[in-house]
Amino acid sequence: MNSEKIFKYLLASSGILIVLIAVGIVATLFVGSIPSFKEYGFGFIFSSDWNPTEGRESYGALPFIIGTLMTSILALLITFPFAFSISLFLGEYFKHGKLPSFLRSVIDLLAGIPSVVYGLWGFYALRPLISELGINAQGFGIFTSSIVLAIMIIPYASSLGSEVISMVPGSLKEAAYSLGATRFEVVRNVIIPNAGSGIFAGYILALGRAIGETMAVTMLIGNSNKIPAGIFDLGNTMASLIANQFGEAEGLKYTSLVEIGLILFIITGIVNLLGKLIMKKLSA
Amino acid sequence: MESTILAEMPITKTNKKLNVIQNSIEHIDSPVLKIDDLSVSYGGDKYSIRNVSAGIARNKITAIMGPSGCGKSTLLRAVNRMHELYPNTHNKGAVYLGDENIYKLNPIQLRRKIGMVFQRPNPFPTMSIYDNVIAGFNLNGIKLKRPEKDEIVERSLREVGLWDEVKDALHNRGTFLSGGQQQRLCIARALAYTPEIILLDEPTSALDPIATAKIEDLLVKLKKDFTIVLVTHNMSQAARISDYSMFMYLGELVEYGKTKQMFTMPKDNRTEEYLTGKIG
């Protein structure tokens, strides 16, 4: 066998290996969830019980599904005005120069900070502030987590946006200017309609990140197993529940955690797929 | 390459002298637009057009010809100040629309009086045909009643001969039209405002011969109501439809006169060389 062939097989086998690993992970999730699914059926998704007391064990995913959606959607809402402004700034107003490239590196830096560091910052800097403001006694909760999440997802929400904004054809902008449009009118009537679906896709992908984010949220959300009463209440997300409880879990609790993992996987899968579909439609 | 270097020569005394001769080339009675010793730079003291003076005749088609890089597009864009979209532009001289120096006007207001059509058809892809035609009003936040809008859309589309072709598809996207139809839509969009002057920057260079012929017929028809200034590097197009022609070379207005006169008896030998294909 010549080296050409060996190389080809090497490439092919590493590609196949990745697929096998992915299939393996999904299979593990499915197989691991079977006992829990047999016990609770689809009711698992709608039950708000999380009771590990022996003899009266009962598990349901609803508080965590709600907690996850609340934190990530709230984070997206908080991030939107900032990410959108950054996209416009870097994509249209100041594409070149020192300040934009400095801003770009700072945003890239945000994406590189480890999640646990965000958690620490949230714990020691943001939490006391929230507590001081009287929003929440200890400063923990959905709101605190969402603020930190919002900062974490800014790079994801803004980078795709600035890219599609900068790709809006100059000829369309010229057409609008030639009709007497101001820059703001060009942004509103030409750039946003033309880049809108790309900007939106960026937010969907950022939402996917926020949904799966674990460490920073675990440190700040308060880890209550009840359905949160509001955005200032304590709560728990699927990811942080798993991170908190998998170590001591066995039996029904273990399989319930795996099923929550499966649900988390499906939700992030759908969100990412949605984002990719929009992007594909955009480039077609 | 050489020509661009020459085109960006700083203004010198000899250039100025040349211009005095140019100014006397053609006298236009009561021009709608008067370009007065205009020089435009995209930065520094290199000028892309230098000391251009010319009057533009009302309700006529004026063609601006010349080889690539001669400054014809720059001259056109300086008339509605579109060249200012590039950073660091500056200019000397003036352009008068009526009695007003356009460089003293608000560019937004100015562009509503001087419409523009570009090289490639550029209808707004996110808007319907209908919305494209009234885009000028929508963009500027001018609120019109539905019947007024309908009237403007129909009038503008009729003027460009597109009405019968698209009247049943007004609310479809304009991007489904053919290239020639798209370009006529863009002309309709520029006409909707009833500007005094319409500037066209090589409007047929991306079109096939049949679509080109349609646009040319249209322009000849439109000059009844509008003053048309057309940049073209297609000499036969200029000969076919324009009343007056300018020949630009290396940033200078070399010759300006009645099209027939220029094509039969050019006064400057650079014009003759261009028309006979020796330069350009």
Side-chain angles (χ1 to χ4, degrees):
Chain A
M1 214 164 20
N2 59 23
S3 60
E4 192 80 14
K5 262 191 178 159
I6 296 174
F7 188 59
K8 203 173 102 185
Y9 286 124
L10 206 66
L11 291 182
S13 52
S14 34
I16 291 165
L17 189 67
I18 293 293
V19 176
L20 287 180
I21 290 172
V23 171
I25 291 173
V26 177
T28 311
L29 283 176
F30 268 102
V31 173
S33 330
I34 289 173
S36 149
F37 190 74
K38 270 190 185 149
E39 181 79 21
Y40 304 114
F42 283 107
F44 183 74
I45 299 170
F46 304 105
S47 161
S48 57
D49 256 0
W50 189 267
N51 189 351
T53 318
E54 251 189 273
R56 284 184 290 156
E57 279 185 307
S58 167
Y59 299 104
L62 191 62
F64 315 110
I65 295 175
I66 291 177
T68 301
L69 294 180
M70 271 174 87
T71 42
S72 47
I73 290 172
L74 184 61
L76 198 62
L77 291 178
I78 297 170
T79 234
F80 173 78
F82 300 100
F84 185 68
S85 316
I86 292 168
S87 301
L88 259 185
F89 183 85
L90 293 178
E92 165 67 15
Y93 282 79
F94 296 96
K95 286 193 206 179
H96 314 289
K98 275 190 184 144
L99 181 65
S101 65
F102 175 70
L103 184 63
R104 229 172 251 131
S105 0
V106 171
I107 292 165
D108 287 346
L109 198 70
L110 281 184
I113 297 175
S115 170
V116 67
V117 176
Y118 277 106
L120 267 185
W121 175 79
F123 192 91
Y124 288 112
L126 187 63
R127 191 183 55 85
L129 188 71
I130 300 274
S131 160
E132 195 95 333
L133 290 171
I135 291 169
N136 182 298
Q138 298 258 291
F140 288 114
I142 303 259
F143 186 63
T144 317
S145 314
S146 294
I147 291 176
V148 173
L149 268 182
I151 300 168
M152 294 176 74
I153 63 175
I154 277 182
Y156 303 95
S158 64
S159 69
L160 190 62
S162 71
E163 206 172 300
V164 290
I165 284 173
S166 71
M167 280 176 352
V168 171
S171 66
L172 294 181
K173 290 186 240 171
E174 277 195 332
Y177 282 120
S178 80
L179 293 166
T182 60
R183 188 153 202 182
F184 176 71
E185 286 158 349
V186 170
V187 168
R188 195 184 55 192
N189 296 297
V190 177
I191 292 175
I192 293 175
N194 278 284
S197 50
I199 298 171
F200 186 66
Y203 295 139
I204 295 287
L205 294 179
L207 181 68
R209 295 272 322 169
I211 288 172
E213 179 46 49
T214 311
M215 201 57 222
V217 177
T218 308
M219 291 164 82
L220 296 168
I221 198 160
N223 302 310
S224 129
N225 295 340
K226 295 195 198 75
I227 293 178
I231 58 166
F232 300 120
D233 199 4
L234 304 181
N236 212 344
T237 65
M238 293 187 271
S240 60
L241 176 84
I242 296 169
N244 266 322
Q245 309 217 340
F246 82 98
E248 59 209 74
E250 48 192 336
L252 207 48
K253 188 175 179 183
Y254 162 76
T255 167
S256 298
L257 284 177
V258 176
E259 189 172 347
I260 286 181
L262 180 65
I263 295 169
L264 178 61
F265 170 75
I266 291 171
I267 291 178
T268 44
I270 291 172
V271 167
N272 281 323
L273 194 70
L274 206 68
K276 294 244 165 73
L277 276 180
I278 297 169
M279 272 167 64
K280 205 172 169 188
K281 216 180 132 195
L282 183 81
S283 55
Chain B
M1 203 58 222
E2 197 183 356
S3 66
T4 44
I5 294 166
L6 281 169
E8 287 167 350
M9 272 193 317
I11 302 173
T12 61
K13 271 191 182 145
T14 40
N15 290 337
K16 263 235 146 74
K17 232 179 223 165
L18 265 173
N19 244 288
V20 179
I21 308 166
Q22 283 169 25
N23 292 345
S24 63
I25 288 173
E26 183 69 31
H27 177 74
I28 307 272
D29 284 324
S30 61
V32 58
L33 193 78
K34 224 168 74 198
I35 301 164
D36 185 15
D37 201 21
L38 183 71
S39 302
V40 174
S41 162
Y42 289 109
D45 55 359
K46 290 170 175 174
Y47 286 82
S48 298
I49 59 172
R50 295 187 305 279
N51 306 103
V52 173
S53 292
I56 302 293
R58 191 181 296 275
N59 293 105
K60 299 280 186 229
I61 297 178
T62 303
I64 309 176
M65 295 182 296
S68 314
C70 69
K72 55 192 190 300
S73 280
T74 300
L75 177 60
L76 192 76
R77 280 159 184 261
V79 169
N80 66 347
R81 295 175 65 178
M82 285 289 284
H83 70 297
E84 291 174 8
L85 294 180
Y86 299 98
N88 307 325
T89 53
H90 64 96
N91 29 266
K92 294 181 189 171
V95 177
Y96 294 96
L97 178 65
D99 298 327
E100 285 176 302
N101 182 353
I102 65 157
Y103 289 103
K104 299 259 153 60
L105 290 173
N106 175 345
I108 307 298
Q109 303 290 338
L110 171 71
R111 288 175 197 150
R112 293 177 196 177
K113 293 179 189 172
I114 303 181
M116 188 162 199
V117 177
F118 299 84
Q119 199 166 352
R120 295 196 161 271
N122 54 359
F124 297 116
T126 53
M127 296 182 196
S128 66
I129 293 172
Y130 187 99
D131 286 338
N132 259 291
V133 178
I134 49 163
F137 297 91
N138 285 346
L139 278 170
N140 293 304
I142 298 169
K143 296 264 183 293
L144 292 175
K145 294 213 176 74
R146 187 73 197 204
E148 285 178 283
K149 283 193 205 173
D150 290 346
E151 194 258 306
I152 291 169
V153 170
E154 183 171 346
R155 169 177 58 75
S156 309
L157 287 174
R158 275 191 193 285
E159 270 173 329
V160 299
L162 203 56
W163 175 254
D164 290 326
E165 293 164 51
V166 302
K167 66 176 180 225
D168 299 320
L170 286 178
H171 296 285
N172 293 359
R173 297 267 168 100
T175 40
F176 290 108
L177 300 172
S178 73
Q181 286 175 319
Q182 285 188 24
Q183 194 61 303
R184 280 186 284 151
L185 176 59
C186 292
I187 297 175
R189 180 174 69 187
L191 296 182
Y193 253 154
T194 55
E196 291 180 46
I197 301 170
I198 302 166
L199 309 174
L200 301 103
D201 192 355
E202 302 191 26
T204 60
S205 64
L207 302 180
D208 63 75
I210 294 169
T212 298
K214 272 193 178 165
I215 301 261
E216 289 180 0
D217 291 346
L218 171 63
L219 294 179
V220 172
K221 203 188 83 188
L222 284 176
K223 72 177 181 182
K224 177 165 61 69
D225 300 310
F226 304 92
T227 300
I228 292 171
V229 183
L230 168 80
V231 161
T232 180
H233 60 208
N234 178 342
M235 279 181 263
S236 52
Q237 179 169 66
R240 275 195 299 274
I241 64 171
S242 72
D243 303 290
Y244 291 90
S245 288
M246 292 183 190
F247 171 63
M248 291 194 66
Y249 191 59
L250 306 181
E252 279 174 39
L253 177 56
V254 171
E255 186 163 346
Y256 179 30
K258 287 212 168 69
T259 300
K260 266 194 194 125
Q261 156 97 51
M262 190 189 287
F263 274 83
T264 48
M265 285 201 302
K267 289 175 183 155
D268 192 293
N269 55 356
R270 285 170 296 180
T271 314
E272 189 174 349
E273 282 172 7
Y274 178 69
L275 292 174
T276 52
K278 281 183 193 138
I279 56 173

